[in-house]
């Protein structure tokens, strides 16, 4: 029987899961493709004892494997935008071999160049596993919804952040407390910055933007805010207002260009995206013919990610080809982003103010002067002379007007901290 | 430029939407495939004046078009399991042409034979539009999740039923009243039986079963119950118990075979499937590696269905091939279904009883004698001597035990109507 020779670089969590899947489902995968998927080589710093690697050539140097081993497909699961990961991928494509990766950082930073290299060589550069783990959302955007012009794509793309925000809501506890617990449980990294500061979400969003709008991936043009400043009070206020707080990556077509932004959002509790809780991810794509579609599943972990990695390998084995980002890489347009100042929407603002008569009047005047229309304002608790939180919401307005209003509010003597702002999305 | 010649049989709602999509997105579709998608022929009883059909050969006889026109792909949008629809599809496949259809009844009844015919001829038989409208769920099951062994697939597959059940909940009104309104609004057919009696859902479920388990489509083996018997009281009781009522199609692997059933279910309000409201459809697929995934979108209508039809055409244009039901049709196993009697789960039961002392004791004894464990029982209202509804829930049990208990309950003198049963699914 015809076989497809596979080399795998990186045998960590996802690499181990992928080896196990290829081993456990060998017959199923052959039934689906008519070919035997044959793991011929693997590279890691140390050979794990618990993986079925009998008869597999083992390398401690992934670069040497990429250069010297005899394979049809290289699976890159080392991670990191540059370094070894980029070297082995470049080497494999340079040899005219297919590449499959789960490496969102690499695709976000070098996706255009790698797509050009793969397409020039007539091979596949697959990255289904790089976005939203096991959810086949790359395939959905690139093939399933390919008859549509997409108007927006957005999603919960980081399970760690969604777990933290869900746990904050369920327990009423503060961010730092829940983060520490998530770290202890292994749901968050020792250095959590990539997740909680929105970088990981931004990596994934650049890929979705490219697929949705036919533009070159451009990580430098993402507006990024993380979730460190979301407080238990914000979560409680959101609930009372009928919202949930989610870290979203949003790519949206507007008259001023494409918005590409990552930040905490208030979304209606009753919306599809508002229902997604815990470590689950979800991506919403809105097309001109299909309307709104949503794809939900586990966004990380060994087995969901392995499912996506092997799905790409199956496409290669079956000879199914799609341009890397939906249209040929040479045809991708430069990304023209809309300035954040131009964003139009509703806002939630949290202030710390000294509880004195006349504070509300000052805030209301500041909003009026910036031509921002207030929807609600609420002082949380009463403590004359002390500092108390005030939360308010404003109707749809330009972000530049909102910023101007916040500057004026900050100048009020009774306002003691910089105001915190969370955008409201009325999905 | 290389072109793909398309003939379309049927210019009703979906046919019209498909013609408009091909016309409006001609450049986009060419960018994605490198080929021009050229509509060369169309067949309908009358030529619609509002469609861009300049230069398209028009036929009033779809069979003649299928037999005589020069095309690469025939799109069948006539509908019906047999008759003209089946004739044109068989004729096109017989000529070695690709076929794309939205016809779930035809796939449910003749899918195996048509798949064998297509695969023998080396052409595609595409039916993405036959299940869940615009949601690319066929592609997800057949390719995106193809690395998994699936344990169950279930979904809300009929927008009319979900609209009726959602409206009943929101308005508190009875089924017949809401159905009449849905018919007046055009959301339900004049003869609504296919939708509300679960036939349409069953057609779609047979297709999902085949894809999920590698078995031949087998419509005769679906257990089917519709939603006619769901009352406003059931909906209210479900809400109080923390459930929503949904008409689900469920295909599940069990030790006794594959369950393939369509019936109203109580599902937790907080579950993903419980959040799907109105005309939206959703499919949940659970794989051994990926875990639970959910796909949501519009399940019907001209433009979502056209999106799915053209997605199949794009796969053909790009040369992407997959076996019709995931593995070669000749390798599909006969479907071995588990008997419904063997189903294991929790149940909700609604009774009408005469309000007399001792009724509850009789019911409790009947359950005990059938070894069914009661969870709750509640008389709705008090009217001594009159007929009042009683609702109860029981813990997980075999369906055969439940049926035996219901027989005993029916034999109680104070129980005036046959009991109504709704299965509870703890997704």
């Amino acid at each position: 029987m015809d076989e497809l020779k596979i080399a795998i670089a990186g045998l960590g969590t996802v690499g181990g899961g992928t080896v196990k899947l290829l081993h456990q489902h060998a017959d199923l995968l052959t039934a689906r493709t008519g070919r035997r998927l044959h793991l011929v080589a693997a590279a890691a710093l140390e050979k794990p004892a618990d993986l079925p690697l009998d008869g597999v050539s083992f390398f401690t140097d992934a670069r040497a494997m990429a250069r010297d081993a005899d394979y049809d497909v290289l699976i890159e699961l080392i991670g990191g935008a540059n370094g070894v990961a980029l070297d082995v991928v470049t080497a494999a494509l340079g040899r005219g071999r297919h590449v499959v990766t789960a490496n969102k950082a690499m695709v976000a930073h070098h996706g255009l160049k790698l797509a050009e290299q793969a397409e020039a060589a007539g091979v596949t550069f697959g990255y289904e596993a790089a976005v939203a783990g096991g959810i086949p959302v790359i395939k959905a955007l690139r093939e399933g919804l390919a008859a549509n012009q997409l108007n927006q794509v957005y999603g919960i793309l980081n399970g760690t952040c969604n777990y933290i925000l869900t746990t904050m809501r369920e327990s009423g506890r503060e961010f730092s407390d829940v983060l520490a617990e998530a770290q202890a449980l292994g749901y968050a990294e020792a250095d959590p910055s990539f997740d909680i500061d929105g970088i990981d979400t931004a990596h994934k969003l650049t890929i979705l933007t490219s697929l949705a709008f036919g533009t070159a991936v451009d990580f430098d043009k993402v507006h990024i805010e993380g979730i460190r400043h979301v407080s238990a009070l914000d979560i409680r206020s959101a609930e009372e207002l009928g919202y949930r707080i989610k870290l979203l990556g949003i790519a949206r077509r507007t008259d001023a260009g494409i918005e590409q932004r990552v930040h905490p959002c208030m979304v209606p509790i009753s919306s599809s995206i508002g229902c997604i809780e815990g470590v689950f991810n979800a991506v919403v794509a809105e097309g001109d013919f299909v309307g709104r579609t949503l794809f939900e599943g586990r966004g990380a972990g060994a087995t969901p990610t392995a499912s996506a990695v092997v799905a790409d390998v199956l496409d290669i084995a079956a000879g199914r080809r799609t341009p890397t980002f939906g249209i040929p890489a040479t045809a991708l347009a430069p990304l023209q982003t809309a300035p954040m100042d131009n964003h139009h929407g509703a806002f939630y603002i949290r202030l710390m103010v000294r509880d004195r008569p006349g504070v509300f009047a000052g805030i209301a005047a500041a909003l009026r002067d910036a031509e921002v229309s207030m929807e609600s304002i609420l002082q949380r608790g009463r403590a004359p002379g002390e500092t108390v939180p005030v939360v308010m919401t404003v109707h749809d307005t330009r972000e530049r007007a909102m910023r101007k209003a916040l500057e004026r509010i900050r100048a009020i003597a009774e306002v003691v901290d910089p105001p915190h702002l969370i955008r409201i999305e009325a999905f």
Side-chain angles (χ1 to χ4, degrees), chain A:
Chain A
M1 176 176 292
D2 188 19
E3 69 172 23
L4 184 80
K5 294 194 286 290
I6 299 170
I8 187 163
L11 294 172
T13 310
V14 177
T18 302
V19 170
K20 283 179 192 159
L21 198 167
L22 290 171
H23 182 76
Q24 190 174 321
H25 283 337
D27 292 343
L28 177 71
L29 304 177
T30 296
R32 292 195 179 282
T33 59
R35 299 176 76 175
R36 182 163 165 248
L37 306 191
H38 186 185
L39 181 63
V40 294
L45 295 180
E46 279 188 54
K47 185 169 179 174
D50 60 338
L51 291 179
L53 293 171
D54 284 356
V56 176
S57 302
F58 183 78
F59 293 77
T60 51
D61 179 353
R63 290 185 181 91
M65 181 185 74
R67 190 183 60 226
D68 301 331
D70 176 25
Y71 57 86
D72 302 305
V73 184
L74 183 134
I75 301 176
E76 184 280 304
L77 299 170
I78 295 168
N82 300 292
V84 184
L86 185 60
D87 289 349
V88 303
V89 166
T90 307
L93 293 176
R95 291 178 66 192
R97 303 299 200 272
H98 304 285
V99 168
V100 170
T101 183
N103 190 330
K104 46 254 177 187
M106 187 175 67
V107 182
H109 286 284
H110 307 296
L112 178 62
K113 204 179 59 193
L114 295 171
E116 285 172 349
Q117 195 184 353
E119 291 173 24
V123 295
T124 292
F125 176 60
Y127 54 90
E128 180 66 78
V131 181
I135 314 171
V137 66
I138 303 301
K139 183 172 278 284
L141 290 176
R142 198 164 55 182
E143 301 171 31
L145 304 178
N148 292 266
Q149 178 174 291
L150 295 183
N151 301 314
Q152 65 174 341
V153 177
Y154 58 89
I156 296 170
L157 302 172
N158 184 279
T160 302
C161 287
N162 208 45
Y163 170 82
I164 291 173
L165 292 170
T166 301
T167 305
M168 285 176 72
R169 183 179 64 76
E170 289 173 350
S171 68
R173 286 150 60 203
E174 287 293 352
F175 173 80
S176 54
D177 186 21
V178 174
L179 171 62
E181 186 190 74
Q183 288 172 310
L185 291 169
Y187 296 164
E189 305 280 339
D191 176 0
S193 170
F194 252 50
D195 291 321
I196 66 175
D197 292 330
I199 316 295
D200 176 75
T201 299
H203 284 149
K204 295 162 178 168
L205 179 63
T206 61
I207 299 172
L208 297 180
T209 305
S210 178
L211 285 165
F213 302 118
T215 52
V217 279
D218 195 340
F219 180 76
D220 294 337
K221 290 186 182 159
V222 192
H223 173 90
I224 310 177
E225 301 169 28
I227 63 167
R228 286 184 198 264
H229 296 297
V230 176
S231 71
L233 173 63
D234 297 333
I235 303 252
R236 207 163 60 241
S237 301
E239 197 79 4
E240 289 168 16
L241 293 162
Y243 296 112
R244 294 262 158 90
I245 299 179
K246 301 290 177 190
L247 181 70
L248 297 188
I250 301 175
R252 183 181 293 165
R253 193 191 299 276
T254 75
D255 291 341
I258 289 166
E259 292 189 350
Q260 186 180 245
R261 50 194 169 93
V262 172
H263 52 72
C265 287
M266 289 198 183
V267 299
I269 290 177
S270 59
S271 63
S272 296
I273 200 88
C275 291
I276 311 297
E277 297 282 43
V279 296
F280 277 81
N281 279 201
V283 174
V284 175
E286 290 187 10
D288 58 350
F289 274 77
V290 77
R292 175 168 60 78
T293 57
L294 176 140
F295 307 88
E296 179 193 356
R298 290 184 183 277
T303 58
T305 311
S307 168
V309 165
V310 178
D312 273 344
V313 175
L314 290 174
D315 275 352
I316 292 165
R320 291 189 291 264
R321 301 281 309 278
T322 317
T324 315
F325 293 103
I327 60 173
T330 50
L332 293 166
L335 177 64
Q336 305 289 347
T337 47
M340 263 322 272
D341 254 15
N342 195 62
H343 169 68
H344 193 255
F347 295 88
Y348 158 96
I349 298 110
R350 168 170 49 89
L351 306 168
M352 292 302 290
V353 305
R354 243 167 258 122
D355 186 4
R356 284 185 197 149
V359 179
F360 274 30
I363 293 169
L367 290 169
R368 181 202 59 211
D369 293 348
E371 298 185 55
V372 172
S373 166
M374 191 191 291
E375 186 185 48
S376 70
I377 184 162
L378 183 61
Q379 178 175 321
R380 313 287 318 215
R382 190 76 238 273
E386 302 292 302
T387 301
V388 291
V390 166
V391 301
M392 59 183 182
T393 57
V394 305
H395 290 292
D396 281 11
T397 186
R398 288 276 166 213
E399 182 139 338
R400 74 175 68 89
M402 191 68 240
R403 297 262 169 218
K404 195 178 294 177
L406 289 186
E407 270 171 40
R408 289 171 189 266
I409 287 170
R410 230 188 133 166
I412 297 170
E414 287 84 359
V415 173
V416 296
D417 277 340
H420 284 295
L421 166 159
I422 299 179
R423 294 174 192 85
I424 298 173
E425 294 285 345
F427 294 129

